[in-house]
Amino acid sequence: MKKKQIRFVTLAIILLLLPTSNVLAKAKPKLSKTSITITKGKTYTLKVKNNKKKVKWSSKNRKIATVSSKGKVKAIKSGTTYVYAKIKGSKTLKCKVKVKNPITKPTSSSNTNNNFSISKIYSKLSMQQSQKLYAIFESGKSNETVKWESTNKEVATIDQSGLVKAKSIGTTIIIATYNNI
């Protein structure tokens, strides 16, 4: 019985002294993002995670987006393309890049006949938020017989008193009509 115990203890000690292999697999290189949306003229820097090797960056369509040697993506014009990160001696990673045009704010709130203007020409509202708009006439009166409407009622509605109510995320145009102008 003692011989069996000694063999078992000896075997256990030998097993403990054997070098252990690293059981955890090394993490594979990957991009910080696999898809991005950026506004024309803006930039976004991509990074390769879990990588110590040299990376060569390229763009499928340089007319839409360019990429620097450091992974800095610049949006050139509206459209969709891909940016590639070629890791030396390894695989190529890709990121879908969607470039959108910036939202432009109206420059004037007056209609073509200069009969009236709107109290607010650009506004951002959160969902369920509301804001009152006014039509201001040359005569100094406000909200004479103005007809209000929203071009996208799923995003925002407006009642005939000029009260805008935000319904969901998106963009809409509020139109004020006076005497069918």
Side-chain angles (χ1 to χ4, degrees), residues 47-76:
K47 295 182 183 347
V48 178
K49 296 179 177 182
N50 308 318
N51 180 55
K52 300 271 189 233
K53 296 178 182 178
K54 186 175 179 175
V55 177
K56 182 177 180 186
W57 295 91
S58 62
S59 172
K60 183 175 182 177
N61 188 338
R62 294 180 49 82
K63 291 180 180 177
I64 295 174
T66 60
V67 62
S68 74
S69 61
K70 302 284 185 191
K72 187 174 185 178
V73 179
K74 182 173 184 187
I76 305 299

Side-chain angles (χ1 to χ4, degrees), residues 108-117 136-139 181:
S108 172
S109 63
S110 299
N111 70 8
T112 55
N113 292 330
N114 292 325
N115 293 335
F116 69 98
S117 61
I136 303 163
F137 292 84
E138 288 178 353
S139 64
I181 299 174

Side-chain angles (χ1 to χ4, degrees), residues 125-159:
L125 299 176
S126 299
M127 287 194 303
Q128 306 305 320
Q129 207 176 18
S130 60
Q131 181 174 24
K132 180 82 169 169
L133 296 179
Y134 298 94
I136 303 163
F137 292 84
E138 288 178 353
S139 64
K141 297 180 183 176
S142 66
N143 282 354
E144 284 189 21
T145 52
V146 174
K147 180 183 175 198
W148 297 95
E149 65 180 296
S150 170
T151 60
N152 189 343
K153 291 176 179 64
E154 291 179 11
V155 172
T157 59
I158 186 164
D159 65 20

Side-chain angles (χ1 to χ4, degrees), residues 93-113:
L93 306 171
K94 73 178 180 178
C95 176
K96 184 177 182 179
V97 177
K98 184 176 179 185
V99 176
K100 63 180 184 171
N101 286 321
I103 297 174
T104 55
K105 296 180 183 180
T107 56
S108 172
S109 63
S110 299
N111 70 8
T112 55
N113 292 330

Side-chain angles (χ1 to χ4, degrees), residues 31 56 58 83-88 90-94:
L31 286 175
K56 182 177 180 186
S58 62
V83 166
Y84 299 99
K86 171 70 175 139
I87 301 169
K88 188 172 184 169
S90 187
K91 66 180 183 172
T92 300
L93 306 171
K94 73 178 180 178

